[in-house]
Amino acid sequence: MKLLAAVLTVYMLIVVPLGSDEAILVEQRSRTFCGGHVIPVVATGYSNDEISINVPKWRDGKTATLTTARWGVIAVDPRVIPLGSVIWIPHFRQIFFAEDVGSRIKGHRIDIFFPTREQAVQWGRRLLWIEVCNPRVWPVNSIQRER
């Protein structure tokens, strides 16, 4: 019953390219996944290689929250998305965790961790709609995370 209560319908006017994942999201009337707020972001990819991370001491595989960098981790601007937030990304149909920061991640930008540089480069830069889950509806500590 709680999950049903968490699925709300949000009506908003959004202009997006037809055929994109964002258009599919709009066609579904922007149903929220976890009772949070939906925001647009520019999403880029990163990995633990010397080109993505130019400071050697930061290539240790640890995030800003001292967890291990892995698929499912994103870097955020903590002024926009608090560290520790649970993020639903409809493009992947998966939950991600805001556990890292980046010097170029400012405002409505996120960096998605990829296991290899090739995957990060292939991802490129994309406009996505993400949902920052409401912690009162979807408590962070109820979700298993690797440390």
Side-chain angles (χ1 to χ4, degrees), residues 6-7 14 18 21 26 28 36 38-39 42 47 64-65 86 89 92 103 107:
V7 178
I14 305 168
L18 291 177
D21 291 326
V26 171
Q28 294 174 344
V38 178
I39 60 172
V42 173
S47 63
T65 56
V86 175
I89 302 182
F92 296 108
S103 60

Side-chain angles (χ1 to χ4, degrees), residues 2-37:
K2 287 184 181 178
L3 184 58
L4 289 177
V7 178
L8 307 172
T9 303
V10 178
Y11 297 94
M12 56 181 108
L13 178 61
I14 305 168
V15 179
V16 295
L18 291 177
S20 68
D21 291 326
E22 291 78 26
I24 293 168
L25 180 65
V26 171
E27 287 171 14
Q28 294 174 344
R29 296 188 328 179
S30 298
R31 285 190 187 273
T32 65
F33 176 77
C34 57
H37 59 281

Side-chain angles (χ1 to χ4, degrees), residues 96-146:
F96 287 74
F97 298 98
E99 296 180 350
D100 210 355
V101 296
S103 60
R104 294 187 178 177
I105 306 302
K106 303 288 184 219
H108 285 223
R109 291 182 170 270
I110 65 170
D111 232 354
I112 301 170
F113 180 83
F114 287 91
T116 67
R117 180 177 187 282
E118 291 74 28
Q119 290 171 314
V121 169
Q122 184 178 9
W123 172 259
R125 178 183 300 156
R126 302 182 191 191
L127 172 65
L128 295 178
W129 289 88
I130 65 170
E131 182 178 358
V132 181
C133 294
N134 183 338
R136 287 175 283 175
V137 176
W138 195 280
V140 172
N141 57 2
S142 71
I143 300 170
Q144 293 290 346
R145 288 199 274 189
E146 295 177 26

Side-chain angles (χ1 to χ4, degrees), residues 76-94:
V76 298
D77 180 348
R79 296 172 300 163
V80 177
I81 300 172
L83 285 173
S85 295
V86 175
I87 309 295
W88 171 252
I89 302 182
H91 177 85
F92 296 108
R93 295 186 174 121
Q94 181 180 334

